[in-house]
Amino acid sequence: MQYSQKVLDHFMHPHNVGKMENPDATATEGSPACGDQVTVYLKVNDETKIIEDISFLSYGCASNIATASIITDMAKGKTLEEAKKITWRDAMEALDGLPPVKVHCSVLAADTLQSAISNYEIAHGLKEVPNFSKETIEQELKKIIYPQVGEDIIALKMVKYIGFKDGEVIIDMNMMKFDQWRDNIADEIKEHLQKYPEVKKITINFP
Ligand code: FES
């Protein structure tokens, strides 16, 4: 597998690694695709809302460690509003790219940063716990990467329809019967959605 020099540098000498004592917010996320995990810790200035310190722990692969390293560099010194705009695509670009099958690793790191920010905002009354809706489902589906091309399934227009009624999520997919990733994607969709208590049943239809 071909990694850029930047990925290798950040993997071998990661920045901002370690558990933080008394963080203002933290989040841990796992990747359904591989079972790996990342934790992000934040120290936020109460007045300015600037991320004064940030660190991470990773139980993930090289790409995951490299992305967590670069994304924590990118977020440090930024306001929460600025840091909210950092996406996995930005992190991947800053690393000079990742092999397509490794894109989900950067999604995991970026997602954990966003969850830590969200946890800070909820704990400090800056936002309400969001209601579960079709938008939540779409946001989750945007985190699922089709490994062959390293793009998310929404961007690739693989999702035809999203429905949510009486606790049941219905998703119509636009994937060929013989697609080798079909079962993996279906499993990932389930793992992403079943963590929400509002979701009682998940039905995924393929053509
Ligand atoms: Fe699991 Fe990279 S393979 S995070």
Side-chain angles (χ1 to χ4, degrees):
M1 198 170 300
Q2 274 291 332
Y3 285 118
S4 71
Q5 191 54 45
K6 275 220 186 127
V7 173
L8 295 175
D9 289 348
H10 276 272
F11 167 54
M12 309 241 243
H13 308 285
H15 309 170
N16 317 308
V17 183
K19 187 166 185 257
M20 188 186 287
E21 294 306 323
N22 306 316
D24 293 321
T26 163
T28 299
E29 297 278 339
S31 162
C34 65
D36 291 343
Q37 252 192 12
V38 188
T39 301
V40 168
Y41 304 90
L42 296 180
K43 266 253 180 291
V44 180
N45 184 306
D46 236 2
E47 308 260 293
T48 60
K49 300 292 178 247
I50 285 176
I51 299 176
E52 290 185 332
D53 200 9
I54 180 164
S55 67
F56 76 94
L57 284 180
S58 165
Y59 306 92
C61 68
S63 316
N64 180 255
I65 293 168
T67 324
S69 169
I70 208 153
I71 214 164
T72 47
D73 272 354
M74 290 162 88
K76 202 187 256 178
K78 294 223 164 61
T79 62
L80 292 178
E81 284 310 313
E82 289 165 343
K84 270 163 52 176
K85 298 195 185 110
I86 303 173
T87 66
W88 60 265
R89 289 175 206 273
D90 300 329
M92 222 177 69
E93 217 167 274
L95 285 172
D96 295 336
L98 281 171
V101 289
K102 289 283 167 184
V103 173
H104 79 265
C105 319
S106 70
V107 175
L108 174 60
D111 197 26
T112 315
L113 167 66
Q114 295 307 327
S115 296
I117 294 173
S118 174
N119 288 346
Y120 177 90
E121 291 184 321
I122 291 169
H124 289 76
L126 300 172
K127 81 167 195 194
E128 310 248 310
V129 181
N131 273 341
F132 187 87
S133 66
K134 272 207 251 185
E135 280 68 49
T136 321
I137 301 172
E138 191 172 338
Q139 288 309 320
E140 287 296 333
L141 298 185
K142 278 188 186 159
K143 298 176 195 167
I144 300 176
I145 302 298
Y146 185 68
Q148 209 158 323
V149 287
E151 255 304 342
D152 72 81
I153 58 173
I154 294 282
L156 289 171
K157 303 203 181 334
M158 287 180 160
V159 181
K160 243 184 4 207
Y161 167 82
I162 299 171
F164 180 63
K165 198 167 174 251
D166 301 330
E168 182 180 12
V169 175
I170 298 172
I171 297 171
D172 290 346
M173 295 295 292
N174 208 358
M175 278 174 100
M176 294 298 158
K177 267 209 174 61
F178 46 80
D179 192 311
Q180 58 163 324
W181 299 104
R182 224 174 76 150
D183 292 347
N184 293 56
I185 297 288
D187 286 348
E188 260 205 75
I189 292 175
K190 286 185 191 143
E191 286 184 58
H192 271 273
L193 296 176
Q194 63 202 9
K195 64 184 177 201
Y196 292 93
E198 293 87 346
V199 175
K200 308 279 180 253
K201 191 176 172 203
I202 303 166
T203 305
I204 305 169
N205 300 312
F206 288 101

